[in-house]
Amino acid sequence: MKIDIASMLVILVAPLLTAVILVIFHRRVDRTAGYIAAASALISLLAALSLLPALHNSGGPELALPWIPAAGIELDLHLDWLTLPFVITEASVTLISIIYAWGYHHQDEKTPYFYALLLVFASGMAGTTLADDMVLFYTFWELMLVASCALIMFWGEGPERNAVALKYFIFTHFGSLLVLVALVMLYNLTGNDTFSALREGARATQGQVITITAFFIIGFCVKMAIFPLHLWLPDAHTVAPMPVTIMLAAAMLSMGAYGILRFPMSIFTSQQLQPFVIPMMVAGVISEIYGAMMALAERDIKRIVAYSSVSQMGYILFGLGTLTFNGIAGATMHVIFHAIVKALLFMALGIVIHATGKRSIDELSGLGRVMPLTAICTGIGALTIAGTPPFCIFDSEWLIFAGGFETPHIALAVAALFGSLLTVAYALWLVTRLFFGDQKPATIAKVHIPLATLIPTVFLSILALVEGLLPAPVFNWISQELTLILGGNW
Amino acid sequence: MVNLWVLLMTVLPVTIGIGMGCFDIILRLRNHHRAPNSAWAIFFTFIVLATVISAVALLLLPGKQPGIAINWLPNSGSMTIHLAQSGLVTATALSIFLLGLVPVIKPTGLMDYGLLLITCGAANLAFISGHFTLRYVALEVVGLCIALYPLVVLGRSLGSEVSRYVFIILRVGDAGFLTAILLFLQYAGTLDIETSLGISTSFAPSVQLWVIGTLGLAVWVKIGLWPFHRWVNAGNLLPSVPNAWLYQAVMPTLGLYLAYRVQPLWVAIPPVSAVVAWVTLAATVLTMVSTLRHVKGPHFVTNFQTVQHGLAFFLAVNGQLHIIPLVLYLAGLRGVLFLIKHSKSHRIRAGATAIAGVATLAFWGNLVARNARMLRLPGFVGILLVVILAVVLAVYFLLKQVAEYRQQTKGSVTVSPEMREQEPVAWTTLSSEDKMLQWFFRVIKRDMPERVLQLMTVSVIGIGQWLYRVIERNTLDTELIKLANGVLKLGQWGYQSIENASLEGFLRWIKDAVVTLSRYLQSLHTGKLRFNLVWVAISMGIVIVALVA
């Protein structure tokens, strides 16, 4: 077996194997489960990074195993330039979430199960992105849902966690079913379930293209939490324990964007997808503005950032909808940068919630005095999400808006650009209310912040600046991906 | 060598400023925060002096361009520096102004110095950038520093509100500028300022409309024209020295310079230029109304300066582009007058006001007289009359204020020996202006023109008050508050009705319906045996029918 294929398998198998070990030896590892899980996530991340030279040299590792030969169904794994940014983002977010959980998660006898499920969740995301056939893709897609749902159900906060988990499951499963319908239609069209075969041989009428694409886009928009399919998100993000929230917001939401890139955009050409330009751009702008308005109206700090995800996913959908080089590159960059900033904001707010035990913004104020470093990190997060240069989101928004102006729909691009002012408003409102107002008498005087929660938060703040100043490496990766989609003729 | 001067003028203050800011944060985290000592003040002076020397050195090397090119954002080209005389002169004026302020700055911490240095370096970069992206980023950095300053100086509660307000308003202008930049990128294919402006005249009219409109918005916000004047007024909450430089000098000058830098656009499509000119004039007049209302308040000088910027922009849009450099070069002087105007001494304020009034009258009178016939707007005579009336009224109110100051000092201006020593500038000013002031005082208080003016003034003030009530209080203030509340209410309404009631309610309704139906079906086919048998019979019947069919 080639070393690059082994590395690809390690990305997928290391978390799964570790999860099994944690479950089997749960009594012996209840105190060390977090470290074991982090080591596994680190191995997975290093394996993903080690594949960069292979991608440059040979176009990426492939693994194909027969599964149901009579139906032409195989177990295929493949890593290409489209997969790489997503795999690295997922692995990084998993590692950071696990490290954050060391300081956030209360340890008990169930802790090994918690970390095991986190790893299964990570494995689900890695499998979804590495899968090169429909069956495997859908299997991992559902594994991701089951693991995250179980995490919310068993470790969620508040008495409504079961109801929220059910709501989350039903909503996202509804999206999954739409995706499944589209997958079956594609399979019937080609008689093959591998993506490489789909890319080369999906000859469909325009009506079929529109039907399949509509199913895919609506299905993936549920995962992306685009308005009005977002209703699962605020509840799930609020009830889930913070490490799970970070993984949901920073990594799992981007799976929807990956799905849109992997299926309709990889299979069909730009011309075939033209009827979706305006609907996707409009839906993106509406989601962007609506999410920001909801964030302004919300009082629960965790829900404010959750609604900001609805808004940020709007930017991504808008960028994808432009069907331009800049728009799609910007949307993919936004996936990565949004992961950084959303993890940063949730981590910083997690520190606040952990220290004060409060989530209502009306009860929290003037915390900058007692947690100045958290205030600075949240400030950086707010400036980043507001698209202030030289922080990273500015770079991706620049490309997304540039893509918008490349279309004939200037008014939509202007609406998206000016709609971003609402992002500035809620981001600054959140930070100034939390950290810079007069301190409420009921809030704490002095806090102990675990280093395990503080170090990743500071690291992400620095990363937001570094990525903003040096966007070229990420952009170069993503530019390679664009040869794989919409026919590759730019 | 040119590269070195450019770096000293831009990168040096920014780097040192960031260093000072970080050091201040570390001190605050360790609870060692205190006001900087004289060694820091000397260091700060040294850096600003280096900036001034670099700017002057570049002025003495005309025609030479630096070989600096930065590749940052993908697909937006290399960011380059373009040393134009106008930009260098303006940057030098502002840097010298900051250098002049050094002795009177009273920093609360190193962060104050840091923010001033970052602003200085970023503003210099904006003045000499030859690439739109670089200019945008520099403007954003300046805007961020300007917004952060109240947070540092005014304390957490008030400071955070002012910072948030100022930053959001400035971002409205930045959004306009960014829109124009992205349109340049798309339709000119480059963001090099000279090249893209050259191509911009061949843009489609609809694109030009967008570009001119959004650039106009950027200029309006940055110079603080109505209804964006409140961010400039917010600076009056700060101590007068940082206010004079950051709020009254740097950002409005950058806004006006932006208007100057993209000058070919303003005259590209006459009908669009006419619209921009009319809107600018209307905004200027409304700012003037606001100025009249605040004649005794702290916003008077601020708005008065904004009115001048508005007039300069108005004339520039009409093709009188050479006016902007004149206004820009006077930025430092206006800043000094602003500072003197905020002096505690009535005499100094009276002197400064008189000088400002006379200088302004002479300046604008001269400009209007020279350029009146060259204005290309339809009905320019009417517009000119409005402008002249606005200027005359503004100057009149300045002089009126002088008269009031004089009354407060009870009689003629007398200069004590202490004052000669302590306030030599004021003494010199007052001794030379005393007779002139008295003459103006007589004219205003006793002569016929005063009565005519008074009548006109009363009418204008009445209209102003009415406009103020209608536009500012009832419309602008109320409407802005309503707008803000409206957005919030809309959000809350959306949250309640869409999130909780409609969408979720609908889903809840579906869920309830499904559950009810399920229970009904369950009640039909479970429980008693005979119901079960009925269901079995019906199901079998359906299967048989299906098979037969």
Side-chain angles (χ1 to χ4, degrees):
Chain A
M1 187 184 285
K2 280 184 180 176
I3 192 148
D4 49 349
I5 294 176
S7 297
M8 185 172 65
L9 280 174
V10 166
I11 299 172
L12 194 60
V13 175
L16 272 181
L17 203 63
T18 313
V20 173
I21 290 168
L22 288 177
V23 170
I24 293 172
F25 301 106
H26 66 276
R27 287 182 197 283
R28 293 185 187 177
V29 296
D30 57 344
R31 289 187 181 278
T32 52
Y35 304 115
I36 295 169
S40 168
L42 181 65
I43 290 167
S44 197
L45 175 63
L46 291 175
L49 290 171
S50 73
L51 287 168
L52 263 170
L55 264 176
H56 272 292
N57 298 332
S58 63
E62 283 181 10
L63 178 71
L65 300 168
W67 190 12
I68 312 172
I73 294 173
E74 294 183 347
L75 284 178
D76 292 350
L77 292 174
H78 176 57
L79 188 128
D80 55 23
W81 286 107
L82 175 58
T83 316
L84 185 78
F86 289 90
V87 169
I88 290 177
T89 306
E90 291 151 14
S92 313
V93 170
T94 306
L95 178 61
I96 282 173
S97 302
I98 290 173
I99 292 171
Y100 188 81
W102 295 350
Y104 192 88
H105 181 71
H106 172 69
Q107 279 206 335
D108 54 22
E109 69 276 8
K110 289 182 186 169
T111 299
Y113 294 106
F114 175 77
Y115 286 110
L117 271 173
L118 274 183
L119 289 173
V120 173
F121 184 18
S123 187
M125 289 192 288
T128 305
T129 37
L130 287 172
D132 199 38
D133 70 80
M134 293 186 215
V135 175
L136 206 56
F137 173 87
Y138 193 75
T139 308
F140 280 115
W141 182 265
E142 289 295 66
L143 179 67
M144 184 168 71
L145 169 62
V146 171
S148 54
C149 193
L151 281 163
I152 294 172
M153 197 177 280
F154 296 121
W155 283 276
E157 294 157 2
E160 291 184 338
R161 63 188 187 204
N162 286 341
V164 168
L166 190 63
K167 182 179 175 182
Y168 166 61
F169 191 92
I170 290 170
F171 256 93
T172 42
H173 193 63
F174 164 70
S176 303
L177 288 176
L178 293 177
V179 170
L180 184 62
V181 171
L183 288 174
V184 170
M185 288 169 82
L186 265 181
Y187 176 74
N188 285 340
L189 212 62
T190 57
N192 199 314
D193 80 325
T194 59
F195 295 167
S196 43
L198 286 176
R199 275 196 291 275
E200 286 163 14
R203 287 191 176 77
T205 62
Q206 187 61 16
Q208 287 170 323
V209 169
I210 288 176
T211 312
I212 292 170
T213 308
F215 273 109
F216 269 134
I217 288 177
I218 297 171
F220 290 128
C221 279
V222 176
K223 200 61 122 186
M224 286 173 77
I226 296 294
F227 174 86
L229 305 166
H230 67 285
L231 289 170
W232 63 271
L233 182 136
D235 289 332
H237 282 198
T238 312
V239 169
M242 196 55 89
V244 181
T245 308
I246 292 164
M247 284 181 71
L248 283 173
M252 199 202 71
L253 287 182
S254 62
M255 289 290 95
Y258 173 75
I260 292 174
L261 285 166
R262 175 56 79 196
F263 287 103
M265 290 195 170
S266 292
I267 297 166
F268 303 123
T269 62
S270 178
Q271 286 213 314
Q272 286 175 306
L273 295 180
Q274 279 304 315
F276 291 93
V277 170
I278 292 180
M280 283 171 79
M281 286 173 79
V282 169
V285 172
I286 290 174
S287 202
E288 174 199 333
I289 293 172
Y290 179 84
M293 285 173 69
M294 290 301 106
L296 277 170
E298 188 52 73
R299 318 302 296 176
D300 182 319
I301 54 172
K302 224 176 159 187
R303 287 177 78 90
I304 291 172
V305 183
Y307 275 115
S308 113
S309 295
V310 177
S311 180
Q312 294 298 313
M313 287 298 124
Y315 287 95
I316 292 173
L317 187 66
F318 177 85
L320 293 176
T322 60
L323 299 187
T324 59
F325 185 96
N326 279 334
I328 295 172
T332 316
M333 276 175 91
H334 205 76
V335 166
I336 298 167
F337 295 158
H338 172 254
I340 293 172
V341 70
K342 204 40 69 73
L344 163 61
L345 283 174
F346 271 124
M347 282 178 177
L349 295 185
I351 292 170
V352 171
I353 295 167
H354 196 68
T356 61
K358 295 184 173 72
R359 289 207 321 230
S360 169
I361 201 162
D362 297 323
E363 297 176 74
L364 295 165
S365 186
L367 292 171
R369 287 176 210 278
V370 284
M371 39 179 76
L373 205 54
T374 311
I376 292 167
C377 291
T378 317
I380 290 173
L383 286 174
T384 308
I385 208 162
T388 311
F391 296 105
C392 58
I393 291 272
F394 170 72
D395 304 347
S396 54
E397 280 186 5
W398 169 279
L399 286 170
I400 288 172
F401 295 141
F405 283 103
E406 282 175 41
T407 67
H409 317 296
I410 294 179
L412 276 176
V414 172
L417 204 153
F418 277 81
S420 68
L421 290 172
L422 287 170
T423 308
V424 181
Y426 76 71
L428 293 186
W429 174 68
L430 175 70
V431 174
T432 50
R433 274 297 295 268
L434 270 185
F435 295 105
F436 296 105
D438 291 325
Q439 198 172 351
K440 302 267 179 191
T443 46
I444 30 118
K446 195 166 184 177
V447 288
H448 168 69
I449 301 168
L451 274 181
T453 58
L454 200 58
I455 289 171
T457 313
V458 174
F459 169 74
L460 287 175
S461 307
I462 296 166
L463 192 63
L465 181 64
V466 172
E467 285 288 355
L469 288 170
L470 303 166
V474 176
F475 179 76
N476 291 339
W477 288 357
I478 287 163
S479 300
Q480 306 265 11
E481 128 198 344
L482 293 172
T483 55
L484 302 172
I485 60 173
L486 292 174
N489 300 317
W490 296 101
Chain B
M1 198 61 188
V2 178
N3 288 355
L4 179 69
W5 291 126
V6 169
L7 291 176
L8 282 175
M9 187 184 167
T10 54
V11 177
L12 177 75
V14 171
T15 314
I16 300 290
I18 291 171
M20 282 180 157
C22 290
F23 192 56
D24 187 72
I25 289 170
I26 292 168
L27 290 178
R28 281 171 198 258
L29 289 175
R30 294 175 169 235
N31 289 326
H32 293 321
H33 173 254
R34 57 181 171 272
N37 57 23
S38 54
W40 282 110
I42 292 167
F43 182 57
F44 174 77
T45 313
F46 173 74
I47 301 297
V48 179
L49 186 64
T51 310
V52 172
I53 291 169
S54 319
V56 173
L58 286 171
L59 267 174
L60 297 175
L61 295 168
K64 292 199 174 177
Q65 296 297 332
I68 298 171
I70 309 158
N71 283 306
W72 178 40
L73 285 177
N75 296 343
S76 66
S78 292
M79 299 194 291
T80 51
I81 303 289
H82 178 75
L83 298 176
Q85 203 73 1
S86 56
L88 280 174
V89 172
T90 317
T92 310
L94 281 178
S95 299
I96 290 173
F97 182 24
L98 179 61
L99 190 64
L101 292 178
V102 170
V104 280
I105 295 174
K106 290 173 184 163
T108 56
L110 277 179
M111 185 64 85
D112 298 32
Y113 280 154
L115 287 176
L116 288 172
L117 282 179
I118 297 170
T119 309
C120 180
N124 287 344
L125 191 58
F127 284 123
I128 61 171
S129 66
H131 192 272
F132 274 124
T133 314
L134 191 58
R135 180 174 297 265
Y136 176 81
V137 173
L139 283 172
E140 279 268 342
V141 173
V142 172
L144 184 61
C145 291
I146 283 177
L148 278 176
Y149 206 90
L151 188 64
V152 175
V153 173
L154 295 179
R156 289 163 186 275
S157 194
L158 176 64
S160 64
E161 285 195 19
V162 174
S163 290
R164 196 170 67 214
Y165 180 80
V166 170
F167 190 68
I168 290 173
I169 298 281
L170 286 175
R171 280 296 289 263
V172 174
D174 290 336
F177 189 29
L178 186 58
T179 306
I181 289 175
L182 291 171
L183 285 166
F184 274 122
L185 180 63
Q186 171 58 19
Y187 292 95
T190 173
L191 288 177
D192 180 79
I193 295 177
E194 300 299 327
T195 318
S196 56
L197 283 173
I199 301 170
S200 68
T201 46
S202 59
F203 285 175
S206 61
V207 176
Q208 278 183 333
L209 183 67
W210 277 110
V211 172
I212 293 173
T214 49
L215 272 177
L217 176 68
V219 175
W220 288 326
V221 172
K222 289 187 191 310
I223 63 177
L225 270 187
W226 190 95
F228 306 107
H229 58 290
R230 283 163 186 254
W231 81 262
V232 192
N233 290 345
N236 291 323
L237 293 166
L238 294 174
S240 55
V241 174
N243 179 21
W245 196 70
L246 286 172
Y247 280 73
Q248 315 303 329
V250 174
M251 188 50 96
T253 307
L254 280 168
L256 210 52
Y257 188 70
L258 175 65
Y260 175 71
R261 200 75 176 83
V262 297
Q263 48 182 295
L265 268 176
W266 303 125
V267 290
I269 312 179
V272 178
S273 304
V275 171
V276 174
W278 277 105
V279 176
T280 305
L281 188 68
T284 307
V285 171
L286 286 166
T287 314
M288 175 69 72
V289 170
S290 184
T291 308
L292 297 181
R293 281 292 307 163
H294 293 124
V295 72
K296 289 181 184 171
H299 303 326
F300 176 74
V301 181
T302 306
N303 287 351
F304 186 61
Q305 176 170 282
T306 304
V307 167
Q308 292 183 63
H309 289 153
L311 286 174
F313 185 43
F314 164 72
L315 291 170
V317 175
N318 274 289
Q320 310 306 305
L321 298 165
H322 59 281
I323 290 164
I324 291 184
L326 286 174
V327 178
L328 288 175
Y329 299 159
L330 294 172
L333 181 62
R334 283 199 307 277
V336 174
L337 286 173
F338 174 85
L339 276 180
I340 297 173
K341 181 78 179 58
H342 279 72
S343 162
K344 285 177 183 170
S345 162
H346 292 309
R347 294 189 180 93
I348 295 175
R349 284 155 68 185
T353 310
I355 291 172
V358 172
T360 309
L361 185 66
F363 181 76
W364 287 107
N366 181 37
L367 280 180
V368 170
R370 279 190 178 190
N371 300 295
R373 291 189 180 187
M374 291 164 72
L375 290 176
R376 298 176 304 143
L377 273 182
F380 73 92
V381 177
I383 296 166
L384 272 182
L385 280 175
V386 174
V387 173
I388 292 166
L389 181 65
V391 173
V392 168
L393 278 176
V395 174
Y396 168 75
F397 272 92
L398 274 168
L399 298 177
K400 181 109 176 163
Q401 207 178 1
V402 172
E404 284 176 11
Y405 289 148
R406 284 181 55 81
Q407 280 185 327
Q408 287 167 4
T409 56
K410 295 176 185 172
S412 62
V413 177
T414 52
V415 182
S416 64
E418 292 81 16
M419 190 178 170
R420 288 185 190 211
E421 285 177 16
Q422 289 170 3
E423 295 170 339
V425 177
W427 174 78
T428 312
T429 307
L430 291 177
S431 57
S432 59
E433 303 298 332
D434 187 36
K435 287 183 180 175
M436 194 167 65
L437 280 176
Q438 284 179 6
W439 179 79
F440 275 125
F441 186 70
R442 275 203 305 277
V443 170
I444 290 165
K445 278 292 176 191
R446 294 168 196 167
D447 290 352
M448 203 52 197
E450 155 67 15
R451 297 188 183 184
V452 177
L453 266 176
Q454 213 164 27
L455 191 66
M456 284 170 61
T457 307
V458 168
S459 317
V460 171
I461 286 180
I463 295 168
Q465 283 174 335
W466 179 79
L467 280 174
Y468 179 77
R469 275 199 304 278
V470 172
I471 297 168
E472 291 260 333
R473 270 268 175 82
N474 296 342
T475 310
L476 180 64
D477 271 3
T478 319
E479 291 310 316
L480 277 180
I481 291 165
K482 271 187 193 166
L483 186 69
N485 283 335
V487 171
L488 199 62
K489 285 261 167 62
L490 193 64
Q492 285 169 344
W493 173 84
Y495 181 75
Q496 286 299 328
S497 54
I498 300 177
E499 295 280 303
N500 271 346
S502 297
L503 280 177
E504 282 215 351
F506 181 63
L507 292 171
R508 222 174 282 134
W509 181 84
I510 291 175
K511 183 206 81 180
D512 290 345
V514 170
V515 169
T516 311
L517 184 68
S518 308
R519 281 185 185 146
Y520 171 71
L521 291 173
Q522 191 189 34
S523 71
L524 283 182
H525 74 267
T526 56
K528 293 180 180 176
L529 184 62
R530 58 181 174 173
F531 283 117
N532 286 347
L533 292 175
V534 169
W535 270 101
V536 170
I538 291 172
S539 307
M540 286 181 71
I542 292 169
V543 170
I544 290 164
V545 169
L547 286 172
V548 171

